[in-house]
Short mmCIF file of all heavy atoms in Angstrom, two decimals:
data_model
loop_
_atom_site.label_atom_id
_atom_site.label_comp_id
_atom_site.label_asym_id
_atom_site.label_seq_id
_atom_site.Cartn_x
_atom_site.Cartn_y
_atom_site.Cartn_z
N VAL D 106 87.60 112.64 101.99
CA VAL D 106 89.03 112.98 102.14
C VAL D 106 89.17 114.37 102.73
O VAL D 106 89.94 114.59 103.68
CB VAL D 106 89.77 112.87 100.78
CG1 VAL D 106 91.11 113.58 100.81
CG2 VAL D 106 89.95 111.40 100.39
N ILE D 107 88.42 115.33 102.21
CA ILE D 107 88.57 116.71 102.69
C ILE D 107 87.84 116.92 104.01
O ILE D 107 88.23 117.80 104.80
CB ILE D 107 88.14 117.73 101.60
CG1 ILE D 107 89.01 118.99 101.70
CG2 ILE D 107 86.67 118.06 101.66
CD1 ILE D 107 90.47 118.78 101.45
N HIS D 108 86.82 116.12 104.30
CA HIS D 108 86.12 116.19 105.59
C HIS D 108 87.13 115.99 106.73
O HIS D 108 87.12 116.74 107.71
CB HIS D 108 85.03 115.11 105.64
CG HIS D 108 84.23 115.10 106.89
ND1 HIS D 108 83.07 115.84 107.04
CD2 HIS D 108 84.41 114.42 108.06
CE1 HIS D 108 82.58 115.61 108.26
NE2 HIS D 108 83.37 114.76 108.89
N GLY D 109 87.99 115.01 106.58
CA GLY D 109 89.02 114.77 107.59
C GLY D 109 89.96 115.95 107.74
O GLY D 109 90.33 116.34 108.85
N VAL D 110 90.35 116.54 106.63
CA VAL D 110 91.23 117.72 106.66
C VAL D 110 90.54 118.87 107.38
O VAL D 110 91.15 119.57 108.19
CB VAL D 110 91.65 118.13 105.23
CG1 VAL D 110 92.38 119.47 105.22
CG2 VAL D 110 92.53 117.05 104.59
N LEU D 111 89.27 119.06 107.09
CA LEU D 111 88.52 120.14 107.75
C LEU D 111 88.44 119.92 109.26
O LEU D 111 88.54 120.88 110.03
CB LEU D 111 87.13 120.28 107.13
CG LEU D 111 87.11 120.81 105.69
CD1 LEU D 111 85.73 120.65 105.07
CD2 LEU D 111 87.58 122.25 105.62
N HIS D 112 88.28 118.67 109.68
CA HIS D 112 88.34 118.38 111.12
C HIS D 112 89.69 118.81 111.69
O HIS D 112 89.76 119.46 112.74
CB HIS D 112 88.11 116.90 111.42
CG HIS D 112 86.68 116.52 111.57
ND1 HIS D 112 85.82 117.14 112.44
CD2 HIS D 112 85.96 115.55 110.97
CE1 HIS D 112 84.63 116.59 112.37
NE2 HIS D 112 84.68 115.62 111.47
N LEU D 113 90.76 118.46 110.99
CA LEU D 113 92.10 118.82 111.46
C LEU D 113 92.30 120.34 111.47
O LEU D 113 93.10 120.85 112.25
CB LEU D 113 93.16 118.15 110.59
CG LEU D 113 93.20 116.61 110.65
CD1 LEU D 113 94.20 116.07 109.64
CD2 LEU D 113 93.49 116.12 112.05
N CYS D 114 91.57 121.03 110.62
CA CYS D 114 91.63 122.50 110.58
C CYS D 114 90.78 123.14 111.67
O CYS D 114 90.77 124.36 111.82
CB CYS D 114 91.20 123.02 109.21
SG CYS D 114 92.40 122.72 107.89
N GLY D 115 90.04 122.33 112.42
CA GLY D 115 89.27 122.85 113.55
C GLY D 115 87.77 122.83 113.40
O GLY D 115 87.05 123.21 114.33
N PHE D 116 87.26 122.38 112.27
CA PHE D 116 85.81 122.33 112.08
C PHE D 116 85.24 121.10 112.77
O PHE D 116 85.82 120.02 112.75
CB PHE D 116 85.44 122.31 110.59
CG PHE D 116 85.71 123.61 109.90
CD1 PHE D 116 86.92 123.82 109.26
CD2 PHE D 116 84.78 124.63 109.91
CE1 PHE D 116 87.19 125.03 108.64
CE2 PHE D 116 85.04 125.85 109.29
CZ PHE D 116 86.25 126.05 108.65
N LYS D 117 84.09 121.29 113.39
CA LYS D 117 83.39 120.21 114.11
C LYS D 117 82.11 119.87 113.35
O LYS D 117 81.67 120.61 112.46
CB LYS D 117 83.04 120.66 115.53
CG LYS D 117 84.21 121.20 116.33
CD LYS D 117 85.14 120.11 116.76
CE LYS D 117 86.24 120.66 117.65
NZ LYS D 117 87.55 120.22 117.30
N ASP D 118 81.46 118.77 113.77
CA ASP D 118 80.19 118.40 113.14
C ASP D 118 79.26 117.66 114.09
O ASP D 118 78.59 116.72 113.72
CB ASP D 118 80.42 117.60 111.85
CG ASP D 118 81.18 116.30 112.08
OD1 ASP D 118 81.53 115.99 113.24
OD2 ASP D 118 81.41 115.59 111.09
N LYS D 119 79.23 118.11 115.33
CA LYS D 119 78.36 117.48 116.33
C LYS D 119 76.99 118.16 116.38
O LYS D 119 75.96 117.49 116.45
CB LYS D 119 79.01 117.51 117.71
CG LYS D 119 80.28 116.70 117.81
CD LYS D 119 80.03 115.23 117.57
CE LYS D 119 81.31 114.44 117.68
NZ LYS D 119 81.28 113.19 116.93
N LYS D 120 76.98 119.48 116.37
CA LYS D 120 75.72 120.24 116.42
C LYS D 120 75.22 120.50 115.00
O LYS D 120 76.00 120.51 114.05
CB LYS D 120 75.94 121.58 117.11
CG LYS D 120 76.41 121.49 118.53
CD LYS D 120 76.60 122.90 119.08
CE LYS D 120 77.54 122.90 120.27
NZ LYS D 120 78.02 124.23 120.57
N LYS D 121 73.93 120.76 114.88
CA LYS D 121 73.32 121.02 113.57
C LYS D 121 74.02 122.17 112.85
O LYS D 121 74.32 122.08 111.65
CB LYS D 121 71.83 121.30 113.71
CG LYS D 121 71.13 121.47 112.39
CD LYS D 121 69.65 121.75 112.55
CE LYS D 121 69.03 121.93 111.17
NZ LYS D 121 67.69 122.43 111.20
N SER D 122 74.30 123.25 113.57
CA SER D 122 74.95 124.41 112.95
C SER D 122 76.36 124.07 112.48
O SER D 122 76.82 124.56 111.45
CB SER D 122 75.00 125.59 113.93
OG SER D 122 75.73 125.25 115.09
N GLU D 123 77.06 123.19 113.23
CA GLU D 123 78.40 122.77 112.83
C GLU D 123 78.35 121.89 111.59
O GLU D 123 79.20 122.01 110.70
CB GLU D 123 79.07 122.00 113.98
CG GLU D 123 79.37 122.84 115.19
CD GLU D 123 79.85 122.04 116.38
OE1 GLU D 123 79.61 120.81 116.45
OE2 GLU D 123 80.48 122.65 117.27
N VAL D 124 77.35 121.01 111.52
CA VAL D 124 77.18 120.15 110.35
C VAL D 124 76.93 121.00 109.11
O VAL D 124 77.52 120.76 108.05
CB VAL D 124 76.03 119.13 110.55
CG1 VAL D 124 75.69 118.41 109.26
CG2 VAL D 124 76.38 118.15 111.65
N GLU D 125 76.08 122.02 109.25
CA GLU D 125 75.79 122.91 108.12
C GLU D 125 77.05 123.62 107.65
O GLU D 125 77.31 123.72 106.45
CB GLU D 125 74.71 123.92 108.50
CG GLU D 125 73.34 123.30 108.67
CD GLU D 125 72.31 124.25 109.26
OE1 GLU D 125 72.64 125.42 109.55
OE2 GLU D 125 71.16 123.79 109.46
N MET D 126 77.86 124.11 108.58
CA MET D 126 79.11 124.78 108.22
C MET D 126 80.08 123.79 107.57
O MET D 126 80.73 124.12 106.57
CB MET D 126 79.76 125.43 109.45
CG MET D 126 81.08 126.10 109.15
SD MET D 126 80.97 127.38 107.84
CE MET D 126 80.17 128.68 108.75
N MET D 127 80.17 122.59 108.12
CA MET D 127 81.05 121.56 107.55
C MET D 127 80.65 121.27 106.11
O MET D 127 81.50 121.19 105.22
CB MET D 127 81.01 120.29 108.40
CG MET D 127 81.88 119.16 107.88
SD MET D 127 83.65 119.45 107.97
CE MET D 127 83.99 118.90 109.64
N ARG D 128 79.36 121.13 105.85
CA ARG D 128 78.88 120.84 104.48
C ARG D 128 79.24 122.00 103.53
O ARG D 128 79.67 121.76 102.41
CB ARG D 128 77.36 120.60 104.45
CG ARG D 128 76.92 119.35 105.13
CD ARG D 128 77.44 118.07 104.46
NE ARG D 128 77.20 116.92 105.31
CZ ARG D 128 78.10 116.35 106.09
NH1 ARG D 128 79.33 116.81 106.14
NH2 ARG D 128 77.81 115.30 106.83
N LYS D 129 79.10 123.23 104.00
CA LYS D 129 79.47 124.38 103.17
C LYS D 129 80.96 124.36 102.85
O LYS D 129 81.37 124.63 101.72
CB LYS D 129 79.11 125.70 103.88
CG LYS D 129 77.64 126.02 103.89
CD LYS D 129 77.38 127.32 104.61
CE LYS D 129 75.90 127.56 104.77
NZ LYS D 129 75.60 128.72 105.59
N MET D 130 81.77 124.04 103.85
CA MET D 130 83.22 123.99 103.63
C MET D 130 83.60 122.84 102.70
O MET D 130 84.49 122.98 101.86
CB MET D 130 83.96 123.85 104.96
CG MET D 130 83.86 125.08 105.88
SD MET D 130 84.65 126.53 105.16
CE MET D 130 83.22 127.45 104.58
N GLU D 131 82.91 121.70 102.82
CA GLU D 131 83.16 120.58 101.92
C GLU D 131 82.83 120.97 100.48
O GLU D 131 83.63 120.71 99.57
CB GLU D 131 82.31 119.36 102.31
CG GLU D 131 82.73 118.69 103.59
CD GLU D 131 81.73 117.66 104.08
OE1 GLU D 131 80.65 117.48 103.45
OE2 GLU D 131 82.01 117.05 105.12
N GLU D 132 81.67 121.59 100.29
CA GLU D 132 81.25 121.99 98.94
C GLU D 132 82.24 122.99 98.33
O GLU D 132 82.60 122.88 97.16
CB GLU D 132 79.83 122.57 98.95
CG GLU D 132 78.76 121.55 99.22
CD GLU D 132 78.74 120.40 98.23
OE1 GLU D 132 78.90 120.64 97.01
OE2 GLU D 132 78.60 119.24 98.67
N LYS D 133 82.65 123.95 99.12
CA LYS D 133 83.63 124.94 98.65
C LYS D 133 84.94 124.25 98.27
O LYS D 133 85.54 124.56 97.24
CB LYS D 133 83.86 125.98 99.74
CG LYS D 133 84.76 127.13 99.34
CD LYS D 133 84.87 128.14 100.45
CE LYS D 133 85.81 129.27 100.06
NZ LYS D 133 86.00 130.23 101.13
#
Side-chain angles (χ1 to χ4, degrees):
V106 164
I107 214 63
H108 181 91
V110 171
L111 291 169
H112 273 307
L113 295 175
C114 288
F116 290 93
K117 307 286 185 227
D118 60 0
K119 296 297 180 205
K120 299 179 201 164
K121 184 180 179 190
S122 61
E123 293 172 340
V124 170
E125 290 171 1
M126 178 57 75
M127 179 68 86
R128 292 296 169 260
K129 285 180 187 173
M130 293 295 103
E131 290 169 358
E132 290 302 318
K133 185 177 178 183

